[in-house]
Amino acid sequence: MAAFRSCLIATLPSGEEREYSLADSLVIGRAPDADIQLKFTGVSRRHARFFAEGGGWSVVDLGSHNGTLVNGQRLASARILQVGDEVVLGPVRLVYRRVLEEDRSVWSIAAGSGSNTLVERGVIGMGTTAEVLRVYDAALDRHLALKRLRPGVDSAEVRARLLREARITAGLEHPGIAPVHQIGKAPDGRPWFTQREIRGQRFDDVIALAHEPMATARWGLRRLIVVFHHVCRTVAYAHARGVIHRDLKPSNLIVGPHGAVFVVDWGLARRLDVDADPSDPAASQFGDVLGTAEYMAPEQARGDVRATDRRSDVYALGGVLYAILAGNPPYSGSTQAVLSSVLDPQPPRSPTGPLATPQLSAIALWALAHDPVDRPADAGVLVDEVDSCLDAAQPEMWRNIRK
């Protein structure tokens, strides 16, 4: 029987990472008597408490001045944590993991004429059909992310989607996209692939922090727009290679240390030139609604696969820019309510709030045009538009925007 231990992986403002094992109840804060002391601006003296409950772990805010966020949502009461949940305390990001003891789950993989050994080091996150593990590559003395199908999830369609994601991502060689290293099958037959392990903050958490009443200067508008500019450049590269993402949203954007920005989760990606084969079990069919409702273009919401192209990604990028400016996506509510709003030709209201500017709001609404022909043709056009804003804006403009 494999043995697990619960831990928190902390990413500090400097980019340094630390691992904290969870045992009994512990308090995190700036106070000298805190079980885990984090002496950073934005962290309260006694910020949050983690405690064992019902065989798992929960977190509760202890009345901190700027709140505790779990997956971008501010805590109002105690919350049970799931593997991969992200807890944000001011500038510090904590990821809850259950780590497999290092002397367990060692398995070999074929590597050309030789072999390699991967050691499972815990679960990074789980989706509906797939899970992402942290693994140790013994041959090269490094850690990687390994994505594979979840136990019990096995069909020609989901296998084909996972393998297609690996092959499409492997063909995108860009600093903003995690490279694929290997592809294969686990001992139990499930397909998998390994990538560089991406560390950093999810952009939805960053946006939430920037819109907190006590937001600090670390995440002012200019820095948010620089991140967005990096994202647009990465997507523009994919568009130039004939690939669309189809699920762009703040939670699929990672802000790493030293200015790195990554676009992740290419599981719905599609090659515009070759993915129209109806015999492909992973190919989308008319009527398939794929993506995330709040950032989904109208043609995606209709399940119109043929009309879904680069401009559909542009729509999603417009939604990301809108969220930067307003603190929320263009539409909110239940999934059905959001889809109804997306399908309505009436455009969303102009973003409002202390970070909204006329120039950037105009770009967001242009990208969010209901009819694809009224949007920028691809992400490269957005790169140029954001370039113009960054070049033309006077330093005073950025300083006058609330930090």
Side-chain angles (χ1 to χ4, degrees):
M1 180 71 70
F4 287 88
R5 60 183 175 85
S6 296
C7 68
L8 296 170
I9 306 298
T11 303
L12 306 183
S14 65
E16 176 190 355
E17 291 196 348
R18 297 178 185 172
E19 179 179 317
Y20 300 105
S21 293
L22 290 171
D24 301 321
S25 173
L26 57 84
V27 172
I28 298 181
R30 285 191 296 111
D33 62 346
D35 299 297
I36 297 176
Q37 188 180 23
L38 298 174
K39 296 190 288 185
F40 301 104
T41 301
V43 177
S44 297
R45 287 180 57 80
R46 294 173 61 82
H47 199 115
R49 180 168 67 92
F50 291 80
F51 58 96
E53 181 180 49
W57 283 86
S58 296
V59 61
V60 64
D61 185 76
L62 297 177
S64 63
H65 67 271
N66 61 350
T68 298
L69 304 180
V70 177
N71 299 334
Q73 301 296 315
R74 186 165 182 160
L75 283 182
S77 59
R79 174 165 170 170
I80 298 173
L81 293 173
Q82 304 295 321
V83 171
D85 279 353
E86 296 176 337
V87 183
V88 175
L89 314 180
V92 179
R93 172 178 170 267
L94 303 161
V95 178
Y96 173 62
R97 289 183 179 160
R98 296 195 69 216
V99 179
L100 205 60
E101 295 296 349
E102 295 185 5
D103 60 348
R104 307 288 182 139
S105 273
V106 179
W107 42 283
S108 295
I109 58 175
S113 59
S115 65
N116 192 8
T117 299
L118 297 180
V119 183
E120 296 183 18
R121 291 285 176 86
V123 178
I124 295 174
M126 292 190 181
T128 304
T129 62
E131 60 186 6
V132 181
L133 307 177
R134 189 174 193 237
V135 297
Y136 175 66
D137 178 353
L140 293 174
D141 187 25
R142 62 180 177 177
H143 286 90
L144 301 171
L146 182 146
K147 186 170 186 177
R148 69 183 180 189
L149 296 182
R150 295 183 63 176
V153 178
D154 191 11
S155 70
E157 180 182 352
V158 294
R159 282 181 176 240
R161 283 193 185 280
L162 187 76
L163 295 175
R164 185 178 68 174
E165 175 186 358
R167 289 168 179 144
I168 288 178
T169 309
L172 298 174
E173 300 180 10
H174 188 276
I177 302 171
V180 171
H181 296 300
Q182 289 179 300
I183 189 170
K185 288 184 179 181
D188 60 7
R190 282 178 286 166
W192 57 264
F193 64 90
T194 58
Q195 291 183 282
R196 171 184 174 183
E197 183 184 11
I198 299 300
R199 306 288 189 90
Q201 285 182 281
R202 282 185 4 183
F203 199 39
D204 55 338
D205 290 336
V206 169
I207 292 171
L209 279 174
H211 284 269
E212 283 286 323
M214 300 294 291
T216 67
R218 184 167 183 264
W219 284 110
L221 178 62
R222 184 177 180 85
R223 189 173 179 199
L224 294 170
I225 297 304
V226 168
V227 171
F228 179 70
H229 185 253
H230 279 294
V231 170
C232 290
R233 289 172 61 184
T234 301
V235 178
Y237 164 82
H239 286 180
R241 297 294 301 268
V243 173
I244 56 175
H245 188 283
R246 296 200 293 179
D247 197 19
L248 293 167
K249 54 186 176 181
S251 61
N252 278 342
L253 312 174
I254 304 295
V255 182
H258 313 300
V261 179
F262 300 94
V263 179
V264 301
D265 196 353
W266 294 77
L268 296 182
R270 173 182 161 219
R271 287 194 183 101
L272 292 172
D273 53 348
V274 300
D275 277 5
D277 181 2
S279 65
D280 179 359
S284 303
Q285 306 298 322
F286 188 88
D288 289 346
V289 179
L290 303 173
T292 302
E294 288 82 359
Y295 298 92
M296 188 185 297
E299 57 274 16
Q300 282 181 269
R302 292 194 301 269
D304 191 344
V305 178
R306 291 185 178 276
T308 300
D309 57 18
R310 296 173 178 87
R311 294 168 298 183
S312 307
D313 278 354
V314 167
Y315 184 99
L317 290 170
V320 173
L321 179 56
Y322 191 105
I324 291 171
L325 302 177
N328 50 260
Y331 306 109
S332 57
S334 68
T335 299
Q336 191 56 51
V338 170
L339 290 175
S340 295
S341 297
V342 168
L343 292 170
D344 188 337
Q346 186 71 19
R349 294 185 305 169
S350 184
T352 59
L355 298 187
T357 70
Q359 301 97 319
L360 293 170
S361 297
I363 295 172
L365 294 179
W366 180 25
L368 288 165
H370 184 83
D371 193 329
V373 301
D374 295 328
R375 299 176 210 150
D378 56 34
V381 178
L382 286 181
V383 171
D384 294 339
E385 291 295 320
V386 176
D387 268 337
S388 298
C389 282
L390 291 171
D391 291 342
Q394 298 300 315
E396 291 76 12
M397 170 191 169
W398 303 107
R399 283 200 293 267
N400 290 337
I401 297 295
R402 193 207 72 185
K403 300 293 192 294

